[in-house]
Amino acid sequence: MADTTKIPYKIYLEESEMPQSWYNVRADMKNKPAPLLNPGTHQPMTAEELGGVFCEELVQQELDNETRFIEIPQEIRDFYKMYRPSPLVRAYCLEEKLQTPAKIYYKFEGNNTSGSHKLNSAIAQAYYAKKQGLKGVTTETGAGQWGTALSMACAYLGLDCKVYMVKVSYEQKPFRREVMRTYGASVVPSPSETTQIGRKILAEHPGTTGSLGCAISEAVEVAVSNPGYRYVLGSVLNQVLLHQSVIGLETKAALDKYGIKPDMIIGCAGGGSNLGGLISPFMGEKLRGEADYQIIAVEPASCPSFTRGVYAYDFCDTGMVCPLAKMYTLGCDFIPAPNHAGGLRYHGMSPVLSQLYADGLMEARAVPQTAVFEAAEQFARVEGILPAPESSHAIRVAIDEALKCKETGEEKTIVFGLTGTGYFDMVAYEKFHDGKMDDYIPTDEELTIYRAKLPKMD
Ligand SMILES: *Cc1c(COP(=O)(O)O)cnc(C)c1O
């Protein structure tokens, strides 16, 4: 049996040990992430321009590459206390099952109704909207976790919340939709007839089941054309990574309590927010030359932005109304194969993580979805938690690394982010159990087609 006498199964923090500030990793980056550009002029977006779309204080956070710590307002800290600190769990049972000398820890962010880490940024964004005296916010949601998190935050603060939900999810995930409506959000399937861009997309692609990029365009249009509304986004942006740093700060504080230093930190990457948040304080040490860690982003082989994308300016949305971001991207029209069930389907990657990856400070791996669900099931059976498919990308690589340790006899300490639960993903699990899941991987030819549509920069 593993030695459980020293390190408890769950390392909790006291309320008093919870972070009081977010950590802004950009402050320690020598090469700062590239600025967002105006899609018309290709000039960096000014605070004023961004202020038309986003809340003022969030614009400041978006543009701030210098301030290392940004205080978490008391109201947000109080809200965090309702579901944080999240536990850092030592995966003794998984270690035992794998017969590995590796020590595995996971930070579990699924212990709130939204079922994911997204609430960490939703409450912050809703708070600043409220503080600015706005009536409400608009957003898009794919699988539904972000929309749910934002609905919860808006209900708490008394803000109106309009969610554009990718049509295929709207139809396939009626329960997610009802959770959002329970929290008072209005949920519209995207593309819809309620926006100009939605009508245009529907005219060009009748019968389309929608995409994140398209839902973003609709949500932005509604925000900019309704006084008292702003748009909020659940991933990719610098501000979101900043809010999610609470994950990494708690993880580090918990590990420090027991003098544990991880060798390897692993997280799934869709737009990069949970991974960016988890690694932030560790990456900070790495950037300042105080410590070294192996950091691995895991993405689906069917949506491989890091491993097969290009580092270039691209549109964040299909309608090309959003600013341009420099990121690893597959092209803004890229949509993973219909058979893809594992989430993490955004075409681009956070500009912060993109720069860190370009600078060789982190690695990335792409994993096929059946291998992801195998890992999910193995994990569920020994650790009890039913993981979200997204999170299971990280589980896959954590298991692979732990099995390597078994061969080499190395006692590496592995920390991974378990971003959420999979209760609303049972259709995907069903496909897996019935052997109806396959591993479609886009060809180079396909990727070239989408890449050709990247905006031409001078
Ligand atoms: C949204 C989501 C992700 C991916 O988003 P990131 O911004 O890359 O973190 C991962 N896991 C879960 C459970 C999610 O809801």
Side-chain angles (χ1 to χ4, degrees), residues 114-118 145-146 234-236 240 268-275 344 349 388 390-391 419-421:
S114 79
S116 82
H117 64 285
K118 297 221 169 57
Q145 288 97 317
W146 166 246
S235 185
V236 184
V240 183
C268 63
S273 74
N274 87 82
L275 179 65
L344 309 174
M349 188 54 69
E390 291 90 341
S391 324
T419 50
T421 49

Side-chain angles (χ1 to χ4, degrees), residues 44-58:
M45 291 287 287
T46 62
E48 203 186 334
E49 288 172 317
L50 285 168
V53 181
F54 301 113
C55 309
E56 284 156 20
E57 193 119 3
L58 293 168

